[in-house]
Amino acid sequence: MLFSLKWLKEMVSIPCTREELVAKFNLMSSEVEDHYQLVTATNLTVGYVKTCIMHPQSDHLHICEVDVAKETLQIVCGAPNVAAGQKVIVALEGAVLPGNFKIKKSTIRGVESNGMICSLDELGIEHKYHQEDGIHVLPESSVIGTNPLEVLHFDDEVIELSLTPNRGDLLSMMGIAYDVSAMLDTALTLKDIFVKEVKESNPVKVSTQTPSCKSYYARVIRDVEIKESPEWLKARLIASGIRPINNVVDITNYVMLETGQPLHAFDFDKLKSNTIVVRNAIDNETIVTLDGKTRTLVADDIVITDGHTPVALAGVMGGESTQIDQSTKAILLESAIFDGLTIRKTSKRLDLRSESSSRFERGLDPNRTLLACNRAAALFEQLANGKVLANVNSFENQNLIPIVVDLSLSKLIKVTGYQYSEKLVSNVLKRLHFEFKLQDGIFKISVPTRRIDIKTYQDIIEEIVRIAGYELIPTTLPKSAIPGSLTEVQKQKRLIRETLSTLGLNETITYSLTSESEAKSFDADEKESIQLLYPIVETRGTMRHSQIPALLEVLNYNLSRKAENVHLFEIGKGYSNQGETEFVSGLMTGVFDDSKWQGITRPVDFFVVKGVIETLLNKLNVDKVQFLPPKLPHPKLHPGISAEIIIEDISVGLVGKLHPSLSSEKGFPDTYVFEVDLKAILSASKPNDKMKEVSKFPSVSRDLAIVIDRSISAKQVIETLKKAGKKTLIDIKIFDVYQGEKVALDKKSIALSLTFQDNSKTLSTEEIDLLVSKIVKAIATELNGELRS
Amino acid sequence: MEIKKQIEELVLNAKNEILTIKTMNELNDLKAKYLGKTSPFAQLMSQMKTLSNEEKPLFGQAVNEGKNQIASLFDGFRLELEQKAIEEKLKNEAVDVTLPGVNFSKGSKHLLSKTIEEIEDLFIGMGYSVKEGPEIESDLYNFEMLNLPKGHPARDMQDTFYITEETLLRTHTSPVQVRTMLEAGGKKPIKIICPGKVYRRDDDDLTHSHQFTQIEALVVDEDVTIADLKGTLLVLAQKMFGEERKIRLRPSYFPFTEPSVEVDVSCGQCGGKGCSMCKQTGWIEILGAGMVNNAVLEAAGYDSTKYQGFALGMGIERIAILKHGIDDIRAFYINDLRFNRQFK
Ligand SMILES: [Zn+2]
């Protein structure tokens, strides 16, 4: 809401500067979006063009002799509409126009020019407000040598409020005046309205067939003269961000700004009857609106009809058939209240949001409908020489009586934590112009109908707190003594973040919304996507199933910026028709620990990534984890270098090398990814509560090299060894795997280091020899293997 | 005594020769030369049998003394050499300690995670629990139960991604508050914070992101006041931005709170005098808050004549942007490692 400070000052006493008022607005009422001098141009004067001849060296420049009272200046002017006998705006030498444009003496094609004759654009009045080309011609009555900004009523300041949806009352000058009166504790100076009526009686009958029209007031004004509005009115509209059109339209807009009540003027002679009937539209009924467009209506829309045909789309836009034009002689003035929700739906559907619809949406003061009707009628009489017919014809279905809200002083104190006194509260309510009675510590407050946002004692508390000032309220902390903590799952999520970042991975957070194809691009099985009804862009229209596509995108971004070793992880969700699944996902490429100068670089391979996952799971106290070749190869992973991660027979995720064809398509180096289901691994986490006994007896190690078929996995070897070695075999480490010339073509050699220990005694060499021979036997019988010679 | 002279001479020669020695081998050779089987001492000893019984002890003593003298000379010199060898060895082993250490990790937590953890820890310290909830929500929990019925003008404040007429991507983490209140059955006091991803139908630019992160706090009890809210906000502002910071509350509007406030923190760059960062106001808006609207309490089963509460909600990106001087909200989601790694 933009408003003119000069206008406001007619309605309420403001004994402070604009800046001080703005500060008060911010702290006590509504946030100020912007505030400024309407026109910042300096050193302007009213001039009289005595002579105007063409510049001899130009086909469009004029040389003017301009009387500016103190002297007569020669000014070269390029505007086509400049002419002798005009009163014009002259920017004198030294003037500064908007955009820091300084006026200096100059010579234009050999002719001296001492100043500039200005257009409204050059004063900073945007073109949309006047649509004038060329210089602005002032009224003849303007006095030479005076300030043209005063003549045009542009000597004004503007404040723009950024209104919250509840404060519909501040969409009117009157509402702002009431709030400023409360903020500054100063007097209101609102004027009474007098309507001079003629004898002829208003012939129009109004009725409604829809509950969506709450009230309707109609007046008829005859013999109106359609013309330009006076300068003061135009200036106030411009300051308020509305383009002046003609006096009739301007008056309806002006009164809307003043009272908040939208008005509509019909050309009375174009109405086909003396009947106004408000009703719901009929499905597929059409109306041509003021902008010339044919609108197809639905039954929820409200229309104003002449008894048969719609003549206006209620609250949204007038109809073309009854539009005011230059030949209009009589008008029917409508001041009505329509249901806000209905207007909101209609204006949204037709994309016709307007000053008027936004006011209906927020709700209006039912006591201003008649007032606005009369205020406009009075202005038609004054500014359009109209004859106002006697009587306002109307119906009224609204409650015009203020509601009463009770608030006890004790409740106020209990909610705020500040010891307000009865005196302070009474004073604030008076400043707000809220009538009240105080009985036994309870304020019984009649809420003025202009404040339809106030319905409960909480609303009253807000009014008191903001006007008395938030700075009064002390700072304390809630008294409750509930201990706070993270849940186990939350703690473990933090541990995951801690562990992976310590292992050298960088956490990412990426967008959940992606394109339809990317969303499922890492799916192993069919899942249905969750899609937005109205995405902004299709590339962010579908919820991702997996985080890996986003990690690949991050990889791509960083590779193209010369990053080499990219190690990423993300804790976040995948979304599908199966619900929201939280994942820990990762991506690794390049070199893992890079200490090149020492000759050590460890390129990321499958076992690095596996090690990362194993370390993580170990930290989380998850054991019995298996990495097995996937039952069905994942289409985006290398079929031989990928594994399913299994915990107690349940697949909780996957890890593998990105399929070489995908890597080469994207231009990636060897890249490894993993994704595990967070809930599944956390539910497998079994924290150690009790200490396990540490053996007091020494352990003994034996190394063993065996030759087995290549197809036998390390897992099978270890399982066989464990079974044979029983409890005494406490650790098995693989320290070499060999396949090549020194063993048969289909064989491989595995070197193992076995550690034996007993909790109750020192193992003798004989006992260990016996165990080893059992193990060797098991290797022979179960794995068809033998010791390597 | 000729023998004594002879021995003195030998000792003197040994002393002089030792001084020319550089290595342990030379030392051993020299030792053999003076004390070995063919040494002058051995020759002297072989002369002993030619002497009389009276002379023998004196002669023997003199020879032994000479030998001992030379032996201790060698021992002393051996220690010296050994010491030198150790020093030499250590000298050779010296490394350039300014070379880089082993590169274990360049890992990092995301700045948003770090900021969330920091705020969580702060609130946990004040007795709050952390609650999470789904991101795909019902219109009922995201809006209607928060005093935002369908068609409410305030719905425009949060442009929404709908999935169906009734389901949507949550526009704030407030539905977690609703869920928590319902779980509590309208009976128990509540003290929670709700962090999480939220979504709004905004075009991405320097200051807008269609996905961002929120933390909201909710306290419901019999005697929670605006003063408690103000105190909590002050703690938050001072812990996040510095002990010298001040806050101020300004009237605002959210359908789920009444009264509602915007919270400003004093500008850290100018200390409140006004600068470009705070648009000359001395204050920077950081979050919205208010007392829980009775309609919200009642919808969740709380008796609003008995219970009251406050709620506050902040954008984590905004907090991090202000704290770390970040100029583009999109930086959080691009994941340029040169950016991410700055925050460990
Ligand atoms: Zn500042």
Side-chain angles (χ1 to χ4, degrees):
Chain A
M1 171 79 181
L2 294 156
F3 67 87
S4 143
L5 194 52
K6 218 166 130 185
W7 188 0
L8 185 65
K9 281 178 174 171
E10 282 181 5
M11 305 170 93
V12 59
S13 160
I14 302 178
C16 65
T17 64
R18 182 178 92 223
E19 285 73 17
E20 286 163 340
L21 182 63
V22 163
K24 292 275 184 189
F25 262 110
N26 277 326
L27 282 178
M28 302 169 90
S29 172
S30 170
E31 195 171 316
V32 172
E33 182 78 31
D34 199 2
H35 60 103
Y36 46 86
Q37 194 76 36
L38 179 60
V39 174
T40 57
T42 60
N43 220 4
L44 304 175
T45 192
V46 176
Y48 175 71
V49 183
K50 293 204 298 197
T51 63
C52 177
I53 56 163
M54 288 304 290
H55 191 300
Q57 308 299 328
S58 160
D59 58 355
H60 69 281
L61 295 174
H62 302 83
I63 304 168
C64 306
E65 295 288 322
V66 184
D67 176 3
V68 293
K70 273 184 235 158
E71 55 186 321
T72 296
L73 301 171
Q74 175 175 293
I75 296 174
V76 176
C77 177
N81 65 328
V82 66
Q86 287 171 338
K87 299 268 178 72
V88 293
I89 304 162
V90 178
L92 299 168
E93 190 191 340
V96 181
L97 302 184
N100 204 23
F101 177 40
K102 293 184 181 119
I103 303 300
K104 291 176 207 147
K105 243 186 199 149
S106 62
T107 305
I108 300 169
R109 298 201 189 169
V111 178
E112 193 175 296
S113 183
N114 302 298
M116 186 171 102
I117 303 176
C118 299
S119 68
L120 292 182
D121 290 292
E122 281 154 347
L123 297 187
I125 303 292
E126 284 178 60
H127 205 68
K128 65 176 180 188
Y129 293 126
H130 55 82
Q131 292 172 322
E132 281 180 9
D133 297 316
I135 56 152
H136 183 69
V137 181
L138 293 169
E140 276 192 36
S141 59
S142 313
V143 179
I144 299 167
T146 59
N147 184 352
L149 296 182
E150 281 171 24
V151 173
L152 294 169
H153 296 266
F154 287 163
D155 54 336
D156 201 349
E157 294 162 279
V158 179
I159 294 178
E160 182 179 6
L161 299 179
S162 158
L163 291 185
T164 51
N166 59 326
R167 293 303 301 273
D169 62 308
L170 298 180
L171 281 169
S172 69
M173 296 304 293
M174 289 171 74
I176 294 170
Y178 272 104
D179 227 37
V180 168
S181 167
M183 282 152 53
L184 303 180
D185 198 6
T186 56
L188 279 172
T189 51
L190 299 172
K191 292 191 185 77
D192 290 335
I193 294 159
F194 298 102
V195 188
K196 220 163 75 186
E197 295 180 338
V198 296
K199 277 210 184 115
E200 186 190 343
S201 186
N202 177 353
V204 175
K205 290 193 167 52
V206 298
S207 64
T208 186
Q209 295 171 354
T210 171
S212 296
C213 182
K214 313 281 186 189
S215 62
Y216 199 105
Y217 292 81
R219 269 194 180 275
V220 174
I221 299 107
R222 288 203 187 276
D223 300 339
V224 293
E225 278 173 39
I226 306 287
K227 56 184 180 185
E228 249 184 67
S229 297
E231 299 296 342
W232 64 265
L233 200 160
K234 286 196 282 186
R236 284 183 182 182
L237 290 181
I238 290 170
S240 310
I242 290 178
R243 175 160 70 99
I245 300 196
N246 61 43
N247 55 350
V248 172
V249 176
D250 292 354
I251 287 167
T252 58
N253 280 331
Y254 182 79
V255 174
M256 175 185 71
L257 290 171
E258 187 173 60
T259 63
Q261 170 67 54
L263 301 173
H264 184 66
F266 298 91
D267 186 325
F268 184 57
D269 296 325
K270 290 182 189 166
L271 280 170
K272 296 212 173 83
S273 73
N274 283 347
T275 316
I276 289 289
V277 178
V278 187
R279 62 162 167 84
N280 282 106
I282 301 159
D283 270 326
N284 293 319
E285 194 170 13
T286 59
I287 181 174
V288 181
T289 44
L290 282 177
D291 51 6
K293 288 186 181 145
T294 302
R295 310 282 179 175
T296 305
L297 306 179
V298 298
D300 271 352
D301 301 328
I302 317 166
V303 288
I304 314 298
T305 69
D306 57 7
H308 301 283
T309 325
V311 291
L313 189 50
V316 178
M317 198 178 254
E320 196 182 50
S321 66
T322 52
Q323 189 178 359
I324 305 289
D325 58 38
Q326 287 302 316
S327 60
T328 298
K329 294 281 178 294
I331 56 175
L332 176 106
L333 175 68
E334 163 199 295
S335 179
I337 294 186
F338 306 103
D339 175 55
L341 207 59
T342 311
I343 298 297
R344 182 176 150 86
K345 273 192 197 154
T346 302
S347 64
K348 255 194 150 170
R349 194 187 81 246
L350 300 176
D351 197 18
L352 276 174
R353 307 301 272 277
S354 63
E355 293 277 345
S356 138
S357 71
S358 71
R359 283 173 172 80
F360 283 116
E361 279 179 29
R362 290 176 199 237
L364 299 173
D365 178 356
N367 276 311
R368 287 211 194 129
T369 320
L370 176 59
L371 180 141
C373 189
N374 286 333
R375 172 67 170 145
L379 287 173
F380 283 128
E381 197 259 332
Q382 287 164 31
L383 306 178
N385 297 321
K387 293 190 178 70
V388 181
L389 303 197
N391 299 331
V392 185
N393 293 339
S394 65
F395 61 82
E396 178 60 76
N397 294 324
Q398 299 218 99
N399 179 19
L400 304 178
I401 311 298
I403 58 160
V404 177
V405 175
D406 289 359
L407 172 66
S408 69
L409 189 67
S410 59
K411 187 77 177 179
L412 175 66
I413 292 167
K414 188 181 178 230
V415 170
T416 58
Y418 176 70
Q419 293 288 327
Y420 290 91
S421 67
E422 278 184 1
K423 200 179 145 204
L424 175 55
V425 176
S426 303
N427 179 258
V428 168
L429 293 174
K430 277 179 202 147
R431 283 165 67 175
L432 285 160
H433 303 274
F434 289 3
E435 284 176 25
F436 66 95
K437 284 187 215 132
L438 177 57
Q439 283 171 353
D440 308 323
I442 297 172
F443 290 90
K444 292 184 170 299
I445 300 149
S446 300
V447 181
T449 52
R450 66 173 178 276
R451 293 300 305 275
I452 55 161
D453 59 313
I454 298 179
K455 297 184 191 80
T456 68
Y457 76 84
Q458 284 188 302
D459 301 326
I460 297 285
I461 288 176
E462 169 149 46
E463 293 300 302
I464 293 166
V465 174
R466 75 180 174 97
I467 297 299
Y470 272 100
E471 66 277 6
L472 280 184
I473 305 221
T475 52
T476 55
L477 287 176
K479 284 182 255 327
S480 71
I482 322 167
S485 70
L486 291 173
T487 62
E488 282 310 310
V489 169
Q490 288 162 352
K491 281 182 200 164
Q492 279 177 313
K493 268 201 252 178
R494 284 200 183 187
L495 183 60
I496 292 170
R497 190 173 289 128
E498 204 65 58
T499 305
L500 292 178
S501 60
T502 304
L503 285 172
L505 280 69
N506 300 101
E507 189 184 10
T508 63
I509 295 179
T510 52
Y511 295 131
S512 310
L513 283 166
T514 182
S515 68
E516 196 182 344
S517 58
E518 275 290 285
K520 56 184 178 203
S521 67
F522 225 82
D523 285 7
D525 48 11
E526 280 290 308
K527 275 185 222 137
E528 228 172 278
S529 294
I530 290 174
Q531 281 180 310
L532 300 182
L533 283 180
Y534 309 107
I536 300 174
V537 284
E538 287 302 330
T539 47
R540 302 251 177 258
T542 306
M543 299 297 280
R544 65 180 180 198
H545 299 183
S546 155
Q547 301 190 112
I548 291 175
L551 293 180
L552 293 173
E553 214 177 295
V554 173
L555 170 66
N556 192 38
Y557 179 95
N558 283 286
L559 287 176
S560 67
R561 278 155 189 81
K562 301 271 185 287
E564 282 171 354
N565 307 324
V566 178
H567 311 318
L568 309 172
F569 77 99
E570 181 154 346
I571 304 171
K573 286 175 178 173
Y575 316 77
S576 70
N577 63 333
Q578 294 164 21
E580 298 178 24
T581 314
E582 207 160 4
F583 291 121
V584 184
S585 317
L587 177 151
M588 298 183 79
T589 188
V591 162
F592 182 52
D593 67 1
D594 180 7
S595 298
K596 255 184 207 150
W597 71 268
Q598 290 193 305
I600 303 164
T601 50
R602 164 98 225 195
V604 171
D605 62 11
F606 178 83
F607 299 99
V608 166
V609 186
K610 182 177 173 182
V612 165
I613 299 167
E614 284 174 328
T615 307
L616 175 66
L617 294 176
N618 181 267
K619 272 272 183 192
L620 295 170
N621 285 308
V622 177
D623 45 18
K624 302 200 177 107
V625 185
Q626 297 186 331
F627 291 73
L628 296 180
K631 285 188 201 85
L632 264 174
H634 190 287
K636 295 291 164 71
L637 296 180
H638 189 303
I641 311 178
S642 56
E644 255 179 289
I645 304 166
I646 313 269
I647 300 172
E648 285 167 16
D649 297 333
I650 296 164
S651 171
V652 300
L654 51 86
V655 52
K657 182 175 180 174
L658 210 60
H659 200 290
S661 62
L662 181 60
S663 290
S664 66
E665 176 199 317
K666 300 218 177 207
F668 291 162
D670 286 355
T671 300
Y672 296 81
V673 294
F674 67 88
E675 187 155 81
V676 293
D677 182 327
L678 188 84
K679 210 170 129 195
I681 56 170
L682 293 188
S683 66
S685 157
K686 297 194 180 70
N688 288 331
D689 288 334
K690 286 223 172 79
M691 187 199 81
K692 274 192 204 119
E693 196 68 44
V694 177
S695 177
K696 293 180 186 70
F697 301 96
S699 65
V700 180
S701 288
R702 289 286 175 90
D703 290 351
L704 216 60
I706 57 170
V707 176
I708 47 171
D709 284 352
R710 277 192 192 183
S711 62
I712 294 170
S713 69
K715 175 178 170 273
Q716 285 169 286
V717 173
I718 287 169
E719 276 168 4
T720 307
L721 261 56
K722 270 188 177 165
K723 216 168 82 191
K726 302 229 170 66
K727 258 181 18 202
T728 321
L729 176 59
I730 60 158
D731 192 28
I732 303 167
K733 279 203 174 66
I734 294 176
F735 65 86
D736 189 38
V737 177
Y738 174 80
Q739 39 194 48
E741 297 168 0
K742 291 172 189 164
V743 292
L745 197 64
D746 55 346
K747 302 278 180 187
K748 64 183 170 190
S749 149
I750 296 184
L752 301 141
S753 174
L754 312 179
T755 307
F756 300 93
Q757 192 175 39
D758 194 299
N759 273 352
S760 56
K761 60 172 189 294
T762 304
L763 291 167
S764 67
T765 312
E766 292 73 32
E767 282 171 312
I768 291 164
D769 288 346
L770 192 66
L771 274 168
V772 170
S773 68
K774 269 189 190 169
I775 285 166
V776 171
K777 207 173 147 198
I779 288 166
T781 55
E782 288 178 40
L783 302 177
N784 194 25
E786 56 187 19
L787 283 181
R788 193 174 169 194
S789 48
Chain B
M1 278 287 277
E2 195 182 332
I3 184 68
K4 271 199 174 162
K5 241 186 192 166
Q6 230 177 315
I7 287 171
E8 265 169 36
E9 212 168 289
L10 270 175
V11 172
L12 194 68
N13 286 347
K15 258 185 189 166
N16 286 335
E17 271 199 84
I18 279 175
L19 287 178
T20 65
I21 277 175
K22 296 249 156 42
T23 69
M24 202 60 90
N25 282 345
E26 286 171 23
L27 181 75
N28 289 336
D29 290 349
L30 197 65
K31 195 178 171 184
K33 180 177 165 192
Y34 280 98
L35 301 174
K37 282 176 188 155
T38 58
S39 69
F41 286 104
Q43 286 168 25
L44 283 174
M45 283 308 272
S46 66
Q47 291 171 22
M48 204 152 83
K49 55 185 181 259
T50 63
L51 298 178
S52 65
N53 281 349
E54 291 85 54
E55 281 172 321
K56 269 182 188 164
L58 281 175
F59 184 88
Q61 200 185 343
V63 172
N64 278 335
E65 266 174 23
K67 269 175 87 175
N68 288 344
Q69 237 179 315
I70 288 174
S72 76
L73 268 178
F74 281 119
D75 286 350
F77 202 75
R78 177 180 298 278
L79 273 177
E80 213 173 293
L81 268 185
E82 276 170 1
Q83 195 59 41
K84 264 191 190 152
I86 288 168
E87 274 166 22
E88 189 67 21
K89 186 167 180 260
L90 294 185
K91 201 177 150 200
N92 288 335
E93 282 172 359
V95 298
D96 177 357
V97 297
T98 64
L99 278 167
V102 171
N103 199 348
F104 286 109
S105 154
K106 280 201 184 110
S108 56
K109 291 190 214 172
H110 196 281
L111 178 56
L112 289 175
S113 301
K114 264 176 60 81
T115 312
I116 290 172
E117 287 186 4
E118 198 177 335
I119 296 169
E120 280 177 352
D121 289 343
L122 170 63
F123 276 93
I124 288 167
M126 293 193 286
Y128 290 72
S129 305
V130 179
K131 283 275 179 182
E132 289 152 305
E135 293 166 33
I136 295 165
E137 258 296 355
S138 64
D139 190 87
L140 181 70
Y141 286 169
N142 194 75
F143 287 129
E144 285 169 53
M145 296 220 18
L146 289 159
N147 200 28
L148 267 157
K150 290 205 170 83
H152 194 291
R155 283 203 178 194
D156 290 352
M157 292 164 87
Q158 301 183 2
D159 220 343
T160 309
F161 285 124
Y162 278 92
I163 290 159
T164 67
E165 292 252 314
E166 295 300 331
T167 54
L168 45 80
L169 298 186
R170 66 179 180 191
T171 56
H172 44 195
T173 59
S174 310
V176 183
Q177 300 184 10
V178 172
R179 288 169 179 273
T180 308
M181 284 193 280
L182 288 172
E183 270 168 37
K187 299 259 178 320
K188 283 176 259 169
I190 289 176
K191 217 172 166 188
I192 55 163
I193 55 168
C194 315
K197 287 173 186 161
V198 300
Y199 305 85
R200 303 243 175 118
R201 210 173 174 285
D202 282 328
D203 286 315
D204 295 340
D205 61 24
L206 280 179
T207 53
H208 295 86
S209 181
H210 73 274
Q211 173 180 326
F212 62 102
T213 322
Q214 249 196 349
I215 290 188
E216 295 189 331
L218 171 73
V219 180
V220 176
D221 209 336
E222 291 180 20
D223 51 6
V224 184
T225 64
I226 299 178
D228 291 338
L229 169 61
K230 206 175 158 185
T232 304
L233 292 167
L234 184 64
V235 170
L236 176 69
Q238 295 187 336
K239 295 285 177 210
M240 291 306 291
F241 298 109
E243 298 294 331
E244 76 292 351
R245 298 296 187 102
K246 292 190 280 283
I247 58 160
R248 71 171 189 185
L249 310 186
R250 292 184 285 113
S252 186
Y253 172 74
F254 309 106
F256 24 91
T257 50
E258 185 72 30
S260 301
V261 291
E262 290 291 346
V263 183
D264 294 343
V265 60
S266 55
C267 178
Q269 188 159 304
C270 63
K273 283 192 238 69
C275 67
S276 61
M277 187 172 172
C278 57
K279 293 180 195 140
Q280 311 305 328
T281 62
W283 296 93
I284 292 170
E285 189 176 313
I286 52 163
L287 60 87
M291 297 302 284
V292 181
N293 194 310
N294 285 345
V296 174
L297 287 174
E298 294 286 343
Y302 278 85
D303 177 357
S304 68
T305 62
K306 199 175 158 204
Y307 283 97
Q308 56 194 45
F310 70 69
L312 63 93
M314 66 195 116
I316 302 306
E317 285 83 352
R318 175 144 183 86
I319 302 286
I321 279 170
L322 291 173
K323 207 174 157 167
H324 303 283
I326 295 160
D327 54 9
D328 186 346
I329 193 170
R330 290 168 295 198
F332 294 104
Y333 294 95
I334 286 172
N335 298 289
D336 187 321
L337 290 181
R338 295 166 298 180
F339 172 82
N340 287 36
R341 279 180 181 147
Q342 291 176 41
F343 310 98
K344 308 277 181 324

